[in-house]
Amino acid sequence: MSKQYEIVIGLEVHVELATKTKIFCGCSTAFGAAPNTQTCPVCTGMPGSLPVLNKQVLEYAIAVGLATNCDITRYAKFDRKNYFYPDNPQNYQISQLYLPICRDGSVEIETEEGGTKSVGIHEIHMEEDAGKLIHDEWEDCSLVDYNRSGVPLIEIVSKPDMRSAQEVIAYLEKLRLIIQYLGASDCKLQEGSMRADVNLSVREAGAQEFGTRTEMKNLNSFKAISRAIEGEKERQIDLIESGEKVVQETRRWDDGKGESYAMRSKEDAQDYRYFPDPDLAPIVVSDEMLERIKAGQPEFRTEKMKRYKEEFGIPDYDIEIITGSKHMADIFEAAVAFSGQPKKVSNWLMGETLRLMKEKEVDASELVLSPRHLAKLIALTDSKAVNSSVAKEVFEAMFEKDVDPEQYVEEHGLKTVNDEGALRSVVEEVLAANPQSVADFKNGKEKAIGFLVGQTMKAMKGKADPAAVNQMLREML
């Protein structure tokens, strides 16, 4: 009988913080600028330049720590992690080893079986990002862009508590939502503002000892993380089954090829020769500061979901989708405040908004439509000033450019014609032009009325209320 194996996974999650400037200097952190245009002597590691901590970085780190049930280190320090790499300008990275800002936390995740599980957080520390190497194959050289050097990061180090790819994704989803709700980062994996390194080992089911772990880097989507976990699990099991040893090393996952390859042997803390950074004063977190950050914590998704159910009475599925993005939840709540119609606001978000997001590949965080305009559109449909097909046309314009629906309807002449005399004369013309359909309806063919409604709406250029048209046709027939 073949042996049963269990995978043991711990994650190191790097999150780029949403500050306007870098961690130790005043350079911009904006994404996508021309190479080396957001640099200064500090973030390019010039001798004699001195770092100064960005207070907002500390506050975001503490806020994330509180939201993940961590103990906040009241006396923390920065350390230098020494290694040579072309994109690391000082030849050391300012990080935290001995006294990280947050320790011993946990987050609850939902398991495949429908229960919950606590994943431990060993620590969260602050550090600076390195630059970025660009390999030019034409010129056969590597170029370095220091714009990212000094961008503030927090590294969230979990305990080895996860046992499947599903648990890893549930943990990452939970972290991402907590951090997005705090506004501490946008957590966009595709832009590198959230990156996960996977530490994975395999052991026989029931064994107490951990196996030898490898660390996989270069994972920038949940799909890639799942595939990398499955691929590495198979690779390690094959090695164990054939009597070979798993080597402790850092591996790079190539998602295109679906395989990983060794980058370097895994370093331990002593290989980095850590020592306290002499240029940065220790951090003392006061009671007043801690209380202020605690008081500023938002309502997180779990509490929001509970409140929506009690307060708005919308379906569970709607609640799950809407609260899955803080930005969408904000739009929902404000539009409900303006309109007093939670179900109708929810219908627009669940229907047209999701459809257009999928069609135009827009993320929920990029939605531009304003709650006030959505409430105005609901009022226009309620008062029958526009019919449902016109409302959809107006909504699409709002989705694209957040136009004012009242203005848009006025400028494009889309208002429903409520003039009964005008409607009656059009209906008479349609009936005269379609004697066959009239005969079909009189012979009990209900479908014929649908055709006549369509012809009337066409003649009215869509600016009529379909229910009123239907009613008038039936009266006149």
Side-chain angles (χ1 to χ4, degrees), residues 19-29 38-45 49-55 57 94 128 146-152 280:
T19 55
K20 297 270 188 289
T21 54
K22 294 184 181 181
I23 184 167
F24 299 121
C25 65
C27 292
S28 168
T29 55
Q38 297 176 168
T39 56
C40 72
V42 174
C43 57
T44 51
S49 62
L50 289 172
V52 176
L53 176 62
N54 180 338
K55 188 181 174 191
V57 174
I94 303 176
E128 58 181 345
Y146 286 126
N147 280 352
R148 202 173 67 185
S149 172
V151 163
L280 285 155

Side-chain angles (χ1 to χ4, degrees), residues 385-405:
V386 297
N387 62 39
S388 61
S389 61
V390 168
K392 283 181 182 176
E393 181 192 326
V394 176
F395 184 82
E396 194 150 342
M398 285 162 56
F399 183 91
E400 291 280 350
K401 294 200 174 100
D402 189 33
V403 297
D404 182 315

Side-chain angles (χ1 to χ4, degrees), residues 101-122:
I101 190 67
C102 313
R103 286 185 274 207
D104 297 326
S106 64
V107 295
E108 285 273 310
I109 61 165
E110 279 165 27
T111 60
E112 269 173 305
E113 297 76 46
T116 58
K117 172 177 179 171
S118 177
V119 175
I121 288 173
H122 176 261

